[in-house]
Amino acid sequence: RDGINNTTTIPLGVHTFDILEQEIEDSKANLEIANYSPVIGSCGFIREQKGYYELIVAFGHILNVYPNALLLIHAPSSFFSGGEEEALFLAIESEKIEKHIAIVRSFLSVREQVLLLSCCDVLILPYRKTSRSIGYGTSAAARACLATKRPLLVSDNEYFEDLQGEVFKIKNPNPQNIRMAIELMRRSKFAKEKMLQRQEDYIKQHSWPETAKRHFEVYQQLLTGEKANA
């Protein structure tokens, strides 16, 4: 964005769904994860920049503190993951956490994905900065996580540059820092409640209807030179 004039940046919108608690309980039962706690979740294709390897290693240490924890990942199958998938499953085997991890590989509708992630107590997107990094406010996964209204931990990089108090940012998403951030969010009721309130405000301002209005205003001004009254 730097050095480029006459541009308007509009981050992705957030879906709003009315998901019932009974739906969440039924989903947990179907996944056979109802007896695990806490459930830590993540989502996205298995790619180098997603930070899954660091999350797997961190989760191995988390089990020392929470021996009944579960790591739930929504990672749809893709044709472009290649060796990255194999490396992930080798890491799972190496950390000996097979009985404490559930990976959902099917493609889901947005509502189905939000329902799945709503089964989690804490969500985390520990993205790493790589040559594949795209830029400002481009994480659709973050929007799905925000729609669950669950505590969300993210790495401190450009993917999540538009998010501030709505999330907890991890400066350097290595396994130790990931573990510490998850433990902090589990133990600090104040930090959790403050984040969830900020999320409520963010969703109201950045729901898809509100985001559509911003797009309309930009297009209207571009075509007519006048600001739209949307």
Side-chain angles (χ1 to χ4, degrees), residues 12-198:
L12 294 173
V14 181
H15 287 278
T16 53
F17 299 112
D18 292 323
I19 293 179
L20 303 177
E21 192 63 33
Q22 188 59 51
E23 290 183 89
I24 297 173
E25 295 304 315
D26 291 345
S27 184
K28 287 181 179 181
N30 291 335
L31 291 167
E32 299 182 345
I33 64 171
N35 295 324
Y36 290 94
S37 180
V39 178
I40 299 162
S42 190
C43 61
F45 293 116
I46 300 175
R47 306 300 303 276
E48 176 190 4
Q49 69 269 29
K50 301 293 181 168
Y52 281 136
Y53 175 78
E54 289 79 4
L55 178 56
I56 294 297
V57 175
F59 184 73
H61 294 291
I62 288 169
L63 283 174
N64 295 327
V65 182
Y66 302 105
N68 202 39
L70 178 87
L71 181 58
L72 175 61
I73 297 176
H74 179 220
S77 300
S78 64
F79 64 88
F80 48 71
S81 292
E84 294 166 346
E85 290 193 2
E86 181 180 355
L88 177 65
F89 289 109
L90 285 174
I92 292 170
E93 183 178 348
S94 175
E95 293 295 322
K96 297 179 171 60
I97 63 171
E98 297 97 324
K99 294 181 180 180
H100 290 267
I101 186 168
I103 303 179
V104 177
R105 303 305 310 276
S106 56
F107 281 87
L108 302 174
S109 69
V110 178
R111 191 184 192 282
E112 288 171 335
Q113 183 186 37
V114 172
L115 173 58
L116 176 69
L117 296 174
S118 295
C119 295
C120 302
D121 299 294
V122 178
L123 296 166
I124 180 167
L125 300 172
Y127 288 16
R128 295 190 292 123
K129 186 177 178 63
T130 71
S131 58
R132 294 176 177 173
S133 299
I134 301 174
Y136 179 87
T138 56
S139 174
R143 273 61 190 175
C145 290
L146 286 170
T148 69
K149 302 176 184 177
R150 297 290 190 271
L152 175 58
L153 315 177
V154 303
S155 48
D156 190 4
N157 61 36
E158 65 271 21
Y159 281 108
F160 313 105
E161 189 178 348
D162 61 306
L163 301 174
Q164 299 302 324
E166 304 82 20
V167 299
F168 180 86
K169 292 191 175 182
I170 307 171
K171 290 287 185 183
N172 178 14
N174 58 41
Q176 180 180 359
N177 289 345
I178 290 172
R179 175 186 61 80
M180 291 173 61
I182 291 173
E183 290 185 14
L184 172 66
M185 197 49 55
R186 288 289 298 165
R187 293 174 178 173
S188 177
K189 182 178 179 181
F190 174 77
K192 176 181 175 180
E193 290 180 348
K194 185 177 179 180
M195 178 192 296
L196 294 180
Q197 182 56 58
R198 287 287 298 268

